[in-house]
Each structure stands twice: as C-alpha cells, then as structure tokens.
Amino acid sequence: MGVHIDITGLRPERIAVVISPLAELGMALHALSEPAHHPGLQAWVTGVTARLDPHLADRMCEADFLWRTTFSDLFLACAGLPGRTALPGGTLAEELDLLDKLSDEQFVDGALEFTCALPYDVPGRGPLSDEGLRRRSLELAAARGPRQLLFTERLLADPPRTRAWLRQFLQDCDGAFFAEAWSRLRHQLAADARLKTDLLRHKGLGEALTSVSSAVTLDEAARRITVDKLGDGRSATGDGGLLLIPTSLGWPHLMVLHRHGWQPVLHYPVGSPELAAPPSVEQLALRMTALSHPVRMRMCRHLARSAYTTSELAQVHGMTAPEISRHLGVLKKAGLITTRRRGRYVLHQLDVTVVARLGSDFLEGILR
C-alpha cells in the first residue's frame, strides 16, 4: 500500500523544491470548503468567509468538487506540460498562463478526476474522445447534484469556455482574499524551499525526503520513492523531473501527483503540528485491528489502570495463560502495551499515550 515513484535515471539537477502560488490557492479553496480538515485555520477561514462577496461564494460552489475532496491536479498545471520538467510560475498570473497551456484533454481529465474516476496512473482515453466515458461522467455528475451536472455539461460541450470561467474565478479569488494571504505565506514557503534545496545539494535526496515527512522514504537500491498512504499508485520520473512543493495551508494532507504522463510532484505541508514520527499506515491498521477484539478491549480496561502479569490477567478474565499470551502478543506487536520485568515476574501495561493519539493518528492517516 502507498504511492511509489520510480526515479531510475533521474538526474539531480532535475529535482526541484519550489513554491507555487496556484497550488497554494488550490489549498486555500480546499480549506474554505472543508474547514474541519484544518482546525488550525479556523480563524483565517472565518475571516475570509465573513467578508466574501456572496456572488463569489456562489461561484465557488459551482466547481467545488475541484478542491473539496482534495484539490485537482489542475492546480499543479506545470507538471502536465510537455517534457515534464517545467517549474511553477513565480506569480499567480504566470501559473494561470501555464494552466492555459494544458490541452483540452488534459484539462477535462483533471477537472473530472473526482467525478468519473478516469484512468489516473495508467494510459487511457478521456471523455472528450470516448463517448462511453462522456455518458458515465454525466451520469455520475447528475448523481452528485445539479450544480456539478451543469458544470460537467458545460465543460464537455465547450472546454475553452469553462477554462476561461475558471481562470477568471481564480483571478477574482486572488483579489478577494488570496493575494493578501500569499504575501504573508510565501516567505515561509520560500524559506522551507531553500532549506530543502540545501539538503538536496549537500546531503542528497534521502535526507531531503526525510525532512519532508517521515511518511516519505527513499530506497536507493531500487531507485524508488515510497509515500506511505492508504491509497495505491505508481509513477515514474522517466526522462523528466521531480517537484517538491511546500504548502502552509495543507496539513494534514501529504499529496502525490502521479498522473500518467505528468511530472511527479510531492505536495507537502510545512510548519505543521504533526508528530515527529507518525505511525505508518500498516502500524495504524495493526492498532485499530488489535483494539477491535472484545477480549482485548476488556484486557485494556485493566491494563490502563495498572500493570498485570499474564497469570493475573488469565485469572481476571477466566482464560488460560496461553490464550492471554496470544492476545498480549497482538497488543504488543501493535505497540499498544509496554512490558517490564520485576524480579521473576513480567508486567504488562497499556501505553495510554499511544492509545490517546489514535484518533488524531487515524485522521492524519486517512487525510494524508
């Protein structure tokens, strides 16, 4: 499980850590649409929402599926340009010019990513060229509401018109709230980009990726980057490059663009409150599974209050020592209990701190 990026043949000069105003605007729209994902941004979201023009707020709802679930690859438009080595623009206007350079097919595929589940990390036709996919896109859009259906109908009937609408909408968002936010955030992002670039130059890709997140690892021998996520995906840099783009508004989302034919991108949060070493998806699954058994739940009730030997637990629960040992083994493998020796006795106790973190760990894991 996870997203894997094959970096065989990737040259060091084609790895870039850069900031992107368009990507940060996409993250801002996501935070405004899903504030519960971003509790640390509540004050900012409340302030922006309170002064937002009602007409702009209505337009935001017309296409919110581009940024509500996560945000569309259209906000990382530079990754889709020919050659797969382009960098984001220095200003939002420059980035919108890069968005205009995507083909209609790329634009439509990116816009409908969350509507019709098009082929993502494998080659495939899109709804502009496949009548079956077009019908399926409209059916799924209709199931999700009249606004999404209307947007999808307009998009498929006249891509240039929809592209012009989106560009104007993003420009209006810039004037309404994003320019002010970007003037404040870009300095933190630029500082992080410089730090990661220095790590790349002096200590290599592995150190830079470790500083991005403990969920990102590099297998030097296999020439592969793995991002520990609940989803599955594959990509390759091929003869292109690799982009690392920081976001100040993105925690807890660690996103990977791995669309077929596009330059791979790691979009990672900076200045986040995440733990220094959050559990892997596998560890999280082990812990949730371990606690789901009713016997182990009852054992945890006792182990949270005091340390017990295996024999004491067996007596309390009316079970044999081997049965208790098997349950203790599951809890220990999941990292939920601690064990210490006192003379000839071995005492087990619940690690309350780890259990208390499970809720936040679970949310971080599914939103990563």
Side-chain angles (χ1 to χ4, degrees):
M1 189 173 290
V3 179
H4 307 281
I5 304 173
D6 184 341
I7 59 170
T8 302
L10 177 64
R11 302 205 300 269
E13 65 270 19
R14 289 196 168 176
I15 306 170
V17 190
V18 285
I19 66 175
S20 166
L22 181 58
E24 198 69 353
L25 174 52
M27 207 68 256
L29 288 168
H30 170 69
L32 289 169
S33 299
E34 287 289 356
H37 287 193
H38 307 274
L41 299 178
Q42 289 288 351
W44 179 79
V45 168
T46 300
V48 170
T49 303
R51 65 177 185 269
L52 199 62
D53 176 76
H55 178 58
L56 182 60
D58 285 343
R59 290 162 63 202
M60 192 178 294
C61 294
E62 287 184 42
D64 67 352
F65 56 90
L66 292 178
W67 48 76
R68 181 178 288 277
T69 303
T70 166
F71 73 86
S72 169
D73 290 345
L74 297 179
F75 291 99
L76 295 166
C78 64
L81 298 184
R84 302 200 299 165
T85 57
L87 300 178
T91 66
L92 182 62
E94 292 174 0
E95 293 243 77
L96 293 176
D97 289 342
L98 295 179
L99 179 60
D100 287 343
K101 292 181 180 181
L102 295 180
S103 68
D104 282 348
E105 289 76 10
Q106 287 178 304
F107 184 89
V108 170
D109 287 358
L112 296 183
E113 175 188 345
F114 308 117
T115 299
C116 57
L118 297 170
Y120 186 82
D121 53 8
V122 295
R125 300 176 68 188
L128 286 184
S129 57
D130 187 314
E131 186 59 34
L133 276 177
R134 176 187 288 262
R135 288 195 300 269
R136 181 62 174 157
S137 299
L138 292 170
E139 289 171 1
L140 290 171
R144 298 186 182 193
R147 284 181 183 254
Q148 190 156 338
L149 175 60
L150 180 60
F151 184 91
T152 304
E153 288 174 338
R154 289 175 177 172
L155 173 65
L156 293 174
D158 189 356
R161 177 188 175 194
T162 304
R163 297 178 71 151
W165 179 93
L166 181 62
R167 178 171 183 133
Q168 186 60 57
F169 168 74
L170 296 176
Q171 289 172 331
D172 291 345
C173 287
D174 187 45
F177 62 86
F178 182 69
E180 179 185 354
W182 180 248
S183 68
R184 172 174 49 87
L185 298 174
R186 63 187 177 89
H187 302 292
Q188 178 195 25
L189 297 177
D192 185 82
R194 288 193 296 270
L195 174 63
K196 301 292 191 296
T197 300
D198 285 343
L199 284 173
L200 271 171
R201 290 173 178 169
H202 300 113
K203 296 192 175 181
L205 180 58
E207 288 285 339
L209 293 176
T210 297
S211 71
V212 164
S213 170
S214 59
V216 184
T217 56
L218 171 65
D219 185 332
E220 287 277 12
R223 300 300 293 160
R224 182 178 65 222
I225 296 170
T226 297
V227 184
D228 185 47
K229 293 174 73 72
L230 279 168
D232 291 303
R234 295 189 176 278
S235 183
T237 53
D239 57 358
L242 173 70
L243 292 179
L244 280 65
I245 297 180
T247 168
S248 286
L249 303 176
W251 187 87
H253 307 299
L254 170 62
M255 289 176 281
V256 189
L257 191 162
H258 54 100
R259 181 181 292 276
H260 178 76
W262 288 43
Q263 181 178 190
V265 181
L266 288 175
H267 189 236
Y268 65 93
V270 300
S272 68
E274 70 174 333
L275 301 169
S280 66
V281 170
E282 182 181 4
Q283 288 173 318
L284 182 60
L286 277 174
R287 289 173 182 175
M288 302 293 281
T289 301
L291 291 174
S292 67
H293 196 286
V295 171
R296 291 193 285 272
M297 288 179 67
R298 290 196 298 272
M299 288 172 59
C300 286
R301 181 175 181 274
H302 289 87
L303 294 171
R305 289 166 168 78
S306 181
Y308 283 78
T309 67
T310 302
S311 298
E312 288 172 334
L313 287 171
Q315 183 176 2
V316 168
H317 292 279
M319 300 172 65
T320 66
E323 288 174 323
I324 291 294
S325 292
R326 284 195 291 272
H327 286 298
L328 286 172
V330 173
L331 293 170
K332 188 171 184 179
K333 184 177 180 181
L336 295 171
I337 62 172
T338 60
T339 300
R340 69 178 189 273
R341 181 173 290 277
R342 189 180 64 193
R344 61 191 182 91
Y345 297 102
V346 176
L347 298 172
H348 312 283
Q349 191 162 16
L350 190 70
D351 191 330
V352 177
T353 302
V354 171
V355 177
R357 281 204 315 248
L358 268 178
S360 58
D361 286 345
F362 177 71
L363 283 174
E364 193 271 347
I366 62 176
L367 294 176
R368 183 183 297 161

